[in-house]
Amino acid sequence: RAILTGILFFNVESLPELMLINNVAGKMKKKVRIAIRLNPDVTAGTHSYITTSKKENKFGLDFKTAKKILEKRGDFPNLSIEGLHVHIGSQITKARPYRQVLSKIVKFIKILRKEDIRINYLNIGGGLGIVYLKEKPQTAASFAKNISSFLRQTNAKIILEPGRFIAGNSGVLVAKVLYVKETPSKIFVIIDAGMNDLVRPSLYGAYHNIVPQVKISSKFSKPIDIVGPICESGDFMAKGRFFPRVKEGDLLVVLGAGAYGFSMSSNYNSRPRAAEVLVKKNKFYLIRKRETYADLVSKEIF
């Protein structure tokens, strides 16, 4: 499908994938552009689950293997190897890892030039961090300032993928308080959104700021846990928060849910996924209908 659609190129992760694309392209009598994804073995300084640039990670090819492939590019007659790709992880707040990676890539491109191997495209990936709590991420301007000298040396067309940087703080998750449950040891605010709606706190221990929809002056006497209705102790949005004294029926807003929110949501515990609403200035538009229980079984066959 990608070949028929005419995508710019495939980012290839391994030699078997390269061979597969070459074979498919041959059967279709097409010449297909590809880029080789490099694994630069650099520490990105982020959560281990979203680090993608260490040699222990499953992503990309080491420089030595990539060079061998480029030198033997004639073995893949249906492919045009035109680019390099790198993506070192996600929620990265400093420029240092990017500078380390690009320094390696610039040296690699210079070695390739000596062998008359031309690189037309360089995809530097994404991973730019945003503010969830007290992070101090780089701005787009400071990021550009830190890496532009390396990019100029590549003489390649630059592609980048700033997904979370654009979408992360553009989206929120709105949830309703179902119950306030007080036990001798803890206070739980139970809401109608769970780990199936936003899995980041459970999966990564990620922090999301949560605020009531309207301002509430009084506070709970001790820290609370904000939890969902799913039958897992890992089903929580926040733990140990000093929080306004909300009550049943109040709405809470989970901030920073625009990246890896809906895209990672699921129907776990037979829960229909939420509606999505686009807000533009003082207007709003329903852009994805709320799922129903009928939707959950619509693909099942007797």
Side-chain angles (χ1 to χ4, degrees), residues 29-93:
K29 294 182 171 54
K30 298 277 189 180
K31 186 90 168 180
V32 175
R33 290 186 297 262
I34 69 150
I36 293 176
R37 178 168 179 173
L38 298 169
N39 184 321
D41 193 25
V42 166
T43 301
T46 187
H47 192 286
S48 61
Y49 285 11
I50 49 178
T51 284
T52 59
S53 57
K54 291 293 292 175
K55 62 184 178 183
E56 297 84 8
N57 300 133
K58 68 178 182 177
F59 301 99
L61 293 159
D62 62 276
F63 286 91
K64 188 175 180 181
T65 302
K67 186 170 181 286
K68 284 182 181 178
I69 289 171
L70 286 159
E71 287 171 341
K72 295 184 177 181
R73 56 197 183 280
D75 294 348
F76 308 99
N78 307 307
L79 303 181
S80 175
I81 305 178
E82 296 193 17
L84 299 175
H85 174 240
V86 66
H87 178 74
I88 62 174
S90 195
Q91 187 53 15
I92 301 166
T93 57

Side-chain angles (χ1 to χ4, degrees), residues 266-280:
S266 73
N267 294 126
Y268 180 58
N269 260 194
S270 293
R271 286 173 51 81
R273 276 176 282 208
E276 286 191 295
V277 177
L278 174 70
V279 178
K280 184 177 181 182

